[in-house]
Amino acid sequence: VQLQASGGGLVQAGGSLRLSCAASGHTFSSYRIGWFRQAPGKEREFVAAISWSVGSTYYADSMKGRFTISKDDAKNVVYLQMNSLKPEDTAVYYCAAKVGYGNSVASYEYWGLGTLVTVSS
């Protein structure tokens, strides 16, 4: 399983970004794809996840209403649309994959390299 995150960059507070996670190397019908982030000096935290087969979505409480996760089955890509960004959203964002339930960092088996999101005030 290979995961490639992209789409990060510098944005002003209140702005939007869309991150992409290109997945390859496997059939992902039984997988869950998650987005995580890690700010400087902080632990990696769950942001959002989507089950590939059913399309069920899961969000960290602090992201609900601002972030939306979606997928494109034809392209094997999972997106994270981030709106109303705040300086505290500044972090390296990672996508990860797993089989099964749950969204803890430790439960995800496959990780891509992160993409940096910087939100200026």
Side-chain angles (χ1 to χ4, degrees), residues 27-91:
T27 301
F28 291 96
S29 57
S30 60
Y31 276 70
R32 179 177 294 199
I33 307 296
W35 283 99
F36 295 80
R37 70 184 186 184
Q38 188 165 16
K42 296 188 176 181
E43 294 186 352
R44 193 168 298 186
E45 64 175 346
F46 170 71
V47 175
I50 188 166
S51 63
W52 200 277
S53 59
V54 180
S56 299
T57 57
Y58 311 87
Y59 296 93
D61 288 343
S62 59
M63 281 40 139
K64 287 180 181 177
R66 296 193 300 126
F67 292 6
T68 303
I69 191 169
S70 62
K71 62 183 176 72
D72 185 325
D73 290 347
K75 296 181 179 179
N76 265 17
V77 175
V78 172
Y79 300 103
L80 183 69
Q81 178 68 42
M82 306 186 295
N83 299 326
S84 302
L85 284 163
K86 307 173 183 179
E88 51 263 43
D89 293 317
T90 295

Coordinates of all heavy atoms in Angstrom, one line a residue, residues 27-91:
T27 N -6.2 -3.2 -3.5 CA -7.7 -2.9 -3.6 C -8.2 -2.4 -2.3 O -8.0 -3.1 -1.3 CB -8.4 -4.2 -4.0 OG1 -7.9 -4.7 -5.3 CG2 -9.9 -3.9 -4.2
F28 N -8.8 -1.3 -2.3 CA -9.1 -0.6 -1.0 C -10.5 -0.8 -0.5 O -10.9 -0.1 0.4 CB -8.7 0.9 -1.1 CG -7.2 1.1 -1.2 CD1 -6.6 1.3 -2.5 CD2 -6.4 1.1 -0.1 CE1 -5.3 1.5 -2.6 CE2 -5.1 1.3 -0.2 CZ -4.5 1.5 -1.5
S29 N -11.2 -1.7 -1.1 CA -12.6 -1.9 -0.8 C -12.9 -2.2 0.7 O -13.9 -1.8 1.3 CB -13.3 -3.0 -1.6 OG -12.6 -4.2 -1.4
S30 N -11.9 -2.8 1.4 CA -12.1 -3.1 2.8 C -11.3 -2.2 3.7 O -11.2 -2.4 4.9 CB -11.7 -4.6 3.1 OG -10.3 -4.7 2.7
Y31 N -10.8 -1.1 3.2 CA -9.9 -0.2 3.9 C -10.7 1.0 4.4 O -11.7 1.4 3.9 CB -8.8 0.2 3.1 CG -7.6 -0.8 3.1 CD1 -7.8 -2.0 2.4 CD2 -6.4 -0.5 3.7 CE1 -6.7 -2.9 2.4 CE2 -5.4 -1.4 3.7 CZ -5.5 -2.6 3.0 OH -4.5 -3.5 3.0
R32 N -10.1 1.6 5.5 CA -10.5 2.9 5.9 C -9.3 3.8 5.7 O -8.1 3.4 6.0 CB -10.9 2.8 7.4 CG -11.2 4.2 8.0 CD -11.6 4.0 9.5 NE -12.9 3.3 9.6 CZ -13.7 3.3 10.7 NH1 -13.3 4.1 11.7 NH2 -14.7 2.6 10.8
I33 N -9.5 5.0 5.1 CA -8.5 6.0 4.9 C -8.7 7.1 5.9 O -9.8 7.7 5.9 CB -8.5 6.5 3.4 CG1 -8.5 5.3 2.5 CG2 -7.3 7.4 3.2 CD1 -7.2 4.5 2.5
G34 N -7.7 7.5 6.6 CA -7.8 8.6 7.5 C -6.8 9.7 7.3 O -5.8 9.5 6.6
W35 N -7.2 10.9 7.7 CA -6.3 12.0 7.8 C -5.9 12.3 9.2 O -6.8 12.3 10.1 CB -7.0 13.2 7.1 CG -7.0 13.2 5.7 CD1 -8.1 12.9 4.9 CD2 -6.0 13.6 4.8 NE1 -7.7 13.0 3.5 CE2 -6.5 13.5 3.5 CE3 -4.7 14.1 4.9 CZ2 -5.7 13.7 2.3 CZ3 -3.9 14.3 3.8 CH2 -4.4 14.2 2.5
F36 N -4.7 12.6 9.4 CA -4.1 12.9 10.7 C -3.3 14.2 10.6 O -2.9 14.5 9.5 CB -3.3 11.8 11.3 CG -4.1 10.5 11.6 CD1 -4.4 9.7 10.5 CD2 -4.5 10.2 12.8 CE1 -5.1 8.5 10.8 CE2 -5.2 9.1 13.1 CZ -5.5 8.2 12.0
R37 N -3.0 14.8 11.7 CA -2.1 16.0 11.6 C -1.2 16.0 12.8 O -1.6 15.5 13.9 CB -2.9 17.3 11.5 CG -3.7 17.7 12.7 CD -4.5 18.9 12.4 NE -5.2 19.4 13.6 CZ -6.0 20.5 13.6 NH1 -6.3 21.1 12.5 NH2 -6.6 20.9 14.7
Q38 N -0.1 16.7 12.7 CA 0.8 16.8 13.8 C 1.4 18.2 13.7 O 2.1 18.6 12.8 CB 1.9 15.7 13.7 CG 2.8 15.7 14.9 CD 3.7 14.5 15.0 OE1 3.9 13.7 14.0 NE2 4.2 14.2 16.2
A39 N 1.1 19.0 14.7 CA 1.7 20.3 14.9 C 3.0 20.2 15.6 O 3.3 19.3 16.3 CB 0.7 21.2 15.6
P40 N 3.8 21.2 15.4 CA 5.1 21.2 16.1 C 5.0 21.1 17.6 O 4.2 21.8 18.3 CB 5.7 22.6 15.7 CG 5.1 23.0 14.5 CD 3.7 22.4 14.6
G41 N 5.7 20.1 18.2 CA 5.7 19.9 19.6 C 4.5 19.2 20.1 O 4.3 19.1 21.4
K42 N 3.6 18.8 19.3 CA 2.4 18.1 19.7 C 2.3 16.7 19.1 O 3.0 16.3 18.2 CB 1.2 18.9 19.2 CG 1.1 20.2 19.9 CD -0.3 20.9 19.6 CE -0.4 22.2 20.3 NZ -1.7 22.9 20.0
E43 N 1.5 15.9 19.7 CA 1.3 14.5 19.2 C 0.4 14.5 18.0 O -0.4 15.4 17.7 CB 0.6 13.7 20.3 CG 1.4 13.5 21.6 CD 0.8 12.5 22.5 OE1 -0.4 12.1 22.3 OE2 1.5 12.1 23.5
R44 N 0.6 13.5 17.2 CA -0.2 13.3 16.0 C -1.7 13.1 16.4 O -1.9 12.3 17.4 CB 0.3 12.1 15.2 CG -0.3 12.1 13.8 CD 0.5 11.1 12.9 NE 1.9 11.5 12.8 CZ 2.7 10.8 12.0 NH1 2.3 9.8 11.3 NH2 4.0 11.2 11.9
E45 N -2.6 13.7 15.7 CA -4.0 13.6 16.1 C -4.9 13.2 14.9 O -4.6 13.6 13.8 CB -4.5 14.8 16.8 CG -4.5 16.1 15.9 CD -5.2 17.3 16.6 OE1 -5.8 17.1 17.6 OE2 -5.0 18.4 16.0
F46 N -6.0 12.6 15.2 CA -7.0 12.2 14.2 C -7.7 13.4 13.7 O -8.1 14.3 14.5 CB -7.9 11.2 14.8 CG -9.1 10.9 13.9 CD1 -9.0 10.1 12.8 CD2 -10.4 11.3 14.3 CE1 -10.1 9.9 12.0 CE2 -11.5 11.0 13.5 CZ -11.3 10.3 12.3
V47 N -7.9 13.5 12.4 CA -8.7 14.6 11.8 C -10.0 14.0 11.2 O -11.1 14.5 11.6 CB -7.9 15.3 10.7 CG1 -8.8 16.3 10.0 CG2 -6.6 15.9 11.3
A48 N -9.9 13.1 10.3 CA -11.1 12.6 9.7 C -10.8 11.2 9.0 O -9.6 11.0 8.8 CB -11.7 13.5 8.6
A49 N -11.8 10.4 8.7 CA -11.6 9.2 8.1 C -12.8 8.8 7.2 O -13.9 9.3 7.5 CB -11.3 8.1 9.1
I50 N -12.6 7.9 6.3 CA -13.7 7.5 5.4 C -13.5 6.0 5.1 O -12.4 5.5 4.9 CB -13.8 8.3 4.1 CG1 -15.0 8.0 3.3 CG2 -12.5 8.1 3.3 CD1 -15.3 9.0 2.2
S51 N -14.6 5.3 5.2 CA -14.6 3.8 4.9 C -14.7 3.7 3.4 O -15.7 4.3 2.8 CB -15.6 3.1 5.6 OG -16.9 3.5 5.2
W52 N -13.9 3.0 2.7 CA -13.8 3.0 1.3 C -15.1 2.3 0.7 O -15.7 2.8 -0.3 CB -12.6 2.2 0.8 CG -12.3 2.6 -0.6 CD1 -12.9 2.1 -1.8 CD2 -11.4 3.6 -1.0 NE1 -12.3 2.8 -2.9 CE2 -11.5 3.7 -2.5 CE3 -10.6 4.5 -0.4 CZ2 -10.7 4.6 -3.2 CZ3 -9.8 5.4 -1.1 CH2 -9.9 5.4 -2.5
S53 N -15.5 1.2 1.3 CA -16.6 0.5 0.7 C -18.0 1.2 0.9 O -18.8 1.3 -0.1 CB -16.7 -0.9 1.3 OG -16.9 -0.8 2.7
V54 N -18.2 1.7 2.0 CA -19.6 2.2 2.3 C -19.6 3.7 2.2 O -20.6 4.3 1.9 CB -20.0 1.8 3.8 CG1 -21.3 2.4 4.1 CG2 -20.0 0.3 3.9
G55 N -18.4 4.3 2.4 CA -18.3 5.8 2.3 C -18.7 6.5 3.6 O -18.9 7.7 3.6
S56 N -18.8 5.7 4.7 CA -19.1 6.4 6.0 C -17.9 7.3 6.4 O -16.8 7.0 6.1 CB -19.3 5.3 7.1 OG -20.3 4.5 6.8
T57 N -18.3 8.4 7.0 CA -17.3 9.4 7.3 C -17.2 9.6 8.9 O -18.2 9.5 9.5 CB -17.5 10.7 6.6 OG1 -18.8 11.2 7.0 CG2 -17.4 10.6 5.1
Y58 N -16.0 10.0 9.3 CA -15.8 10.2 10.8 C -14.9 11.4 10.9 O -14.0 11.6 10.1 CB -15.1 8.9 11.3 CG -15.7 7.6 10.9 CD1 -15.4 7.0 9.8 CD2 -16.7 7.0 11.8 CE1 -16.0 5.8 9.4 CE2 -17.3 5.8 11.4 CZ -16.9 5.2 10.2 OH -17.5 4.1 9.8
Y59 N -15.2 12.2 11.9 CA -14.5 13.4 12.2 C -14.2 13.6 13.6 O -14.9 13.2 14.5 CB -15.3 14.6 11.7 CG -15.7 14.7 10.3 CD1 -16.8 14.1 9.8 CD2 -14.8 15.3 9.4 CE1 -17.1 14.2 8.4 CE2 -15.1 15.3 8.0 CZ -16.2 14.8 7.5 OH -16.5 14.8 6.2
A60 N -13.0 14.2 13.9 CA -12.7 14.7 15.2 C -13.7 15.8 15.5 O -14.1 16.6 14.6 CB -11.3 15.2 15.3
D61 N -14.1 15.9 16.7 CA -15.1 16.9 17.1 C -14.7 18.3 16.7 O -15.6 19.1 16.2 CB -15.4 16.9 18.6 CG -16.2 15.6 19.0 OD1 -16.8 15.0 18.1 OD2 -16.1 15.3 20.2
S62 N -13.5 18.7 16.8 CA -13.0 20.0 16.5 C -13.0 20.4 15.1 O -12.9 21.5 14.7 CB -11.6 20.3 17.1 OG -10.7 19.4 16.6
M63 N -13.1 19.3 14.2 CA -13.1 19.5 12.8 C -14.5 19.5 12.1 O -14.6 19.9 11.0 CB -12.3 18.4 12.1 CG -10.7 18.6 12.1 SD -10.0 19.1 13.7 CE -8.6 18.1 13.9
K64 N -15.4 19.1 12.9 CA -16.8 19.0 12.3 C -17.3 20.3 11.9 O -17.2 21.3 12.6 CB -17.7 18.4 13.3 CG -17.5 16.9 13.6 CD -18.5 16.3 14.6 CE -18.3 14.9 14.8 NZ -19.2 14.3 15.9
G65 N -17.8 20.4 10.7 CA -18.4 21.6 10.2 C -17.4 22.4 9.4 O -17.8 23.3 8.6
R66 N -16.1 22.2 9.5 CA -15.1 22.9 8.8 C -14.4 22.1 7.8 O -14.0 22.5 6.7 CB -14.1 23.5 9.7 CG -14.6 24.6 10.7 CD -13.5 25.4 11.3 NE -12.6 24.5 12.1 CZ -11.2 24.5 11.9 NH1 -10.7 25.2 11.0 NH2 -10.5 23.7 12.6
F67 N -14.2 20.8 8.1 CA -13.5 19.9 7.2 C -14.5 18.8 6.7 O -15.4 18.4 7.4 CB -12.4 19.1 8.0 CG -11.2 20.0 8.5 CD1 -11.3 21.4 8.3 CD2 -10.1 19.4 9.1 CE1 -10.2 22.2 8.7 CE2 -9.1 20.2 9.5 CZ -9.1 21.6 9.3
T68 N -14.2 18.5 5.4 CA -15.0 17.4 4.8 C -14.1 16.4 4.1 O -13.3 16.8 3.3 CB -16.0 18.0 3.7 OG1 -16.8 19.0 4.4 CG2 -16.9 17.0 3.1
I69 N -14.3 15.2 4.4 CA -13.6 14.1 3.7 C -14.4 13.5 2.7 O -15.6 13.3 2.9 CB -13.1 13.1 4.7 CG1 -12.0 12.1 4.1 CG2 -14.2 12.3 5.4 CD1 -11.3 11.2 5.1
S70 N -13.8 13.1 1.5 CA -14.6 12.5 0.4 C -13.6 11.6 -0.4 O -12.4 11.7 -0.1 CB -15.2 13.6 -0.5 OG -14.2 14.4 -1.1
K71 N -14.1 10.9 -1.3 CA -13.2 10.0 -2.1 C -13.7 10.0 -3.5 O -14.9 10.2 -3.8 CB -13.2 8.6 -1.5 CG -14.5 7.9 -1.5 CD -14.4 6.5 -0.8 CE -15.7 5.8 -0.7 NZ -16.2 5.3 -2.0
D72 N -12.8 9.7 -4.4 CA -13.0 9.4 -5.8 C -12.6 8.0 -6.1 O -11.4 7.7 -6.2 CB -12.3 10.4 -6.7 CG -12.6 10.3 -8.1 OD1 -12.8 9.2 -8.6 OD2 -12.6 11.4 -8.8
D73 N -13.6 7.1 -6.3 CA -13.3 5.7 -6.5 C -12.5 5.5 -7.7 O -11.6 4.6 -7.8 CB -14.6 4.9 -6.5 CG -15.3 4.8 -5.1 OD1 -14.6 5.2 -4.1 OD2 -16.4 4.4 -5.1
A74 N -12.8 6.2 -8.8 CA -12.2 6.0 -10.1 C -10.7 6.3 -10.0 O -9.9 5.7 -10.7 CB -12.9 6.8 -11.1
K75 N -10.4 7.3 -9.2 CA -9.0 7.8 -9.2 C -8.3 7.2 -8.0 O -7.1 7.5 -7.8 CB -9.0 9.3 -9.1 CG -9.5 10.0 -10.3 CD -9.4 11.5 -10.2 CE -10.0 12.2 -11.4 NZ -9.9 13.7 -11.3
N76 N -9.0 6.6 -7.1 CA -8.3 6.1 -5.8 C -7.7 7.2 -5.0 O -6.6 7.1 -4.6 CB -7.3 5.0 -6.1 CG -7.8 3.6 -6.0 OD1 -9.0 3.4 -6.1 ND2 -6.9 2.6 -5.9
V77 N -8.5 8.3 -4.9 CA -8.0 9.4 -4.2 C -9.0 9.8 -3.1 O -10.2 9.8 -3.3 CB -7.8 10.6 -5.1 CG1 -7.5 11.9 -4.3 CG2 -6.8 10.3 -6.2
V78 N -8.5 10.2 -1.9 CA -9.3 10.7 -0.8 C -8.9 12.1 -0.6 O -7.8 12.5 -0.6 CB -9.1 9.9 0.4 CG1 -9.8 10.5 1.6 CG2 -9.5 8.4 0.3
Y79 N -10.0 13.0 -0.5 CA -9.8 14.4 -0.3 C -10.1 14.8 1.1 O -10.9 14.3 1.7 CB -10.6 15.2 -1.3 CG -10.4 14.8 -2.8 CD1 -11.2 14.0 -3.5 CD2 -9.3 15.3 -3.4 CE1 -11.0 13.7 -4.8 CE2 -9.0 15.0 -4.7 CZ -9.9 14.2 -5.4 OH -9.7 13.9 -6.7
L80 N -9.4 15.9 1.5 CA -9.8 16.6 2.7 C -10.0 18.1 2.4 O -9.0 18.8 2.1 CB -8.8 16.4 3.8 CG -9.1 17.0 5.2 CD1 -10.3 16.3 5.8 CD2 -7.9 17.0 6.1
Q81 N -11.2 18.5 2.3 CA -11.5 19.9 2.1 C -11.5 20.6 3.4 O -12.3 20.2 4.3 CB -12.9 20.0 1.4 CG -13.3 21.5 1.2 CD -12.5 22.2 0.2 OE1 -12.1 21.6 -0.9 NE2 -12.1 23.4 0.5
M82 N -10.7 21.6 3.6 CA -10.6 22.3 4.8 C -11.0 23.8 4.6 O -10.4 24.5 3.8 CB -9.1 22.3 5.3 CG -8.6 20.9 5.4 SD -7.0 20.8 6.2 CE -6.0 21.6 5.0
N83 N -12.0 24.2 5.3 CA -12.5 25.6 5.2 C -12.4 26.3 6.5 O -12.1 25.7 7.5 CB -14.0 25.5 4.8 CG -14.2 24.9 3.4 OD1 -13.4 25.0 2.5 ND2 -15.4 24.2 3.3
S84 N -12.5 27.6 6.4 CA -12.4 28.5 7.6 C -11.2 28.1 8.5 O -11.2 27.9 9.7 CB -13.7 28.3 8.5 OG -14.8 28.6 7.7
L85 N -10.1 28.0 7.8 CA -8.8 27.6 8.5 C -8.4 28.6 9.5 O -8.6 29.8 9.3 CB -7.7 27.4 7.4 CG -7.9 26.1 6.6 CD1 -7.0 26.1 5.4 CD2 -7.5 24.9 7.5
K86 N -7.8 28.1 10.5 CA -7.3 28.9 11.7 C -5.8 28.7 11.8 O -5.3 27.6 11.4 CB -8.0 28.5 12.9 CG -9.5 28.5 12.9 CD -10.1 27.9 14.1 CE -11.7 27.8 14.0 NZ -12.3 27.2 15.2
P87 N -5.1 29.6 12.4 CA -3.7 29.4 12.7 C -3.4 28.1 13.4 O -2.4 27.4 13.2 CB -3.3 30.6 13.5 CG -4.2 31.7 13.0 CD -5.5 31.0 12.8
E88 N -4.3 27.7 14.3 CA -4.0 26.4 15.0 C -4.2 25.2 14.2 O -4.0 24.1 14.7 CB -5.0 26.4 16.3 CG -6.4 26.6 16.0 CD -6.8 28.1 16.3 OE1 -6.0 29.0 15.9 OE2 -7.9 28.3 16.8
D89 N -4.7 25.3 13.0 CA -4.7 24.2 12.0 C -3.4 24.0 11.4 O -3.2 23.0 10.6 CB -5.8 24.4 10.9 CG -7.2 24.5 11.5 OD1 -7.5 23.6 12.3 OD2 -8.0 25.3 11.0
T90 N -2.4 24.8 11.6 CA -1.1 24.6 11.1 C -0.5 23.3 11.6 O -0.4 23.1 12.8 CB -0.2 25.8 11.5 OG1 -0.7 27.0 10.8 CG2 1.3 25.6 11.0
A91 N -0.1 22.5 10.6 CA 0.5 21.2 11.0 C 0.9 20.5 9.7 O 0.6 20.9 8.6 CB -0.6 20.3 11.7

